[in-house]
Amino acid sequence: MTSKFLLIIFSLLLNCNSSAEKVTEKETPEGIQNEVYDDQETYLLGEFERKELEQSPYSYWFNSGYKNYEPEEKHMKVIKENISDYEIILFMGTWCADSQLEVPKLYKILDQAGYDYSKLTNIAVDPYKETPNHIEEDYEVNLVPTIIFRKDGVEINRFVEFALETFEEDLADIVSQKDYQNPYADF
């Protein structure tokens, strides 16, 4: 077996799965939907804004992940030169350890690159990787985080679940249109 295959199998075993069962669904005053599972964990669902990640109960992982992350400058240079060409669609789960690790990094990179946030769409999925309007199906999202990079309405590439090298190196390869394939591209 190849090491890439073993890495993918290992990742699938550890990916962001949940065996929790739905108990209730509610809508906040801002229109953000949260669902509560029998483990009493609340999470974002559907489109959301960054400010929601910066507040409890998500702030403990988002703010510290953002503060403690320092992307390598050589990759940031490439990102800064190219990122403005892209619209980005982020699919994530606030309940998901991989999303908790990578999403603060994404925001740090976008901040440092001076990215136009009007071109970013944030979508939170439930532990079954679903949204109320099933938009994840349109984008064939099965794992989170999935970060889709689009130019002129056409998907150019995507980051899925974990970095092959480092997060910023993978993103630099994507936005400079180097030969990058996420770990699941062949499946």
Side-chain angles (χ1 to χ4, degrees), residues 99-119:
S99 293
Q100 292 174 8
L101 178 66
E102 305 297 7
V103 171
K105 294 176 185 178
L106 174 65
Y107 274 99
K108 183 83 165 242
I109 286 172
L110 296 178
D111 283 348
Q112 288 186 4
Y115 185 72
D116 175 3
Y117 281 102
S118 70
K119 296 173 18 176

Side-chain angles (χ1 to χ4, degrees), residues 52-176:
E52 290 158 279
L53 295 177
E54 296 172 328
Q55 299 171 5
S56 183
Y58 318 111
S59 59
Y60 77 93
W61 57 262
F62 181 83
N63 294 337
S64 63
Y66 181 96
K67 179 183 173 191
N68 295 325
Y69 176 62
E70 290 302 326
E72 292 181 48
E73 189 53 43
K74 69 180 181 178
H75 302 300
M76 279 305 303
K77 183 177 186 294
V78 173
I79 292 169
K80 287 177 186 177
E81 291 170 358
N82 296 285
I83 194 78
S84 65
D85 295 340
Y86 293 90
E87 302 160 22
I88 300 173
I89 303 171
L90 164 65
F91 285 89
M92 66 159 298
T94 53
W95 47 267
C96 170
D98 292 327
S99 293
Q100 292 174 8
L101 178 66
E102 305 297 7
V103 171
K105 294 176 185 178
L106 174 65
Y107 274 99
K108 183 83 165 242
I109 286 172
L110 296 178
D111 283 348
Q112 288 186 4
Y115 185 72
D116 175 3
Y117 281 102
S118 70
K119 296 173 18 176
L120 173 68
T121 303
N122 298 306
I123 302 169
V125 298
D126 68 17
Y128 303 100
K129 318 251 187 357
E130 297 175 350
T131 61
N133 60 2
H134 301 287
I135 192 170
E136 75 285 352
E137 293 174 4
D138 296 338
Y139 292 98
E140 299 179 15
V141 172
N142 299 307
L143 300 166
V144 289
T146 294
I147 306 167
I148 300 171
F149 294 83
R150 297 168 40 117
K151 257 189 192 180
D152 301 319
V154 176
E155 181 175 334
I156 302 301
N157 212 329
R158 63 175 57 193
F159 173 94
V160 180
E161 199 174 27
F162 61 90
L164 297 176
E165 300 299 330
T166 64
F167 186 74
E168 65 270 19
E169 185 173 352
D170 284 19
L171 265 55
D173 287 350
I174 290 170
V175 300
S176 65

Side-chain angles (χ1 to χ4, degrees), residues 16-32:
C16 299
N17 286 324
S18 173
S19 60
E21 294 183 28
K22 287 185 185 180
V23 175
T24 63
E25 185 174 298
K26 66 179 182 175
E27 191 165 331
T28 66
E30 298 81 23
I32 305 298

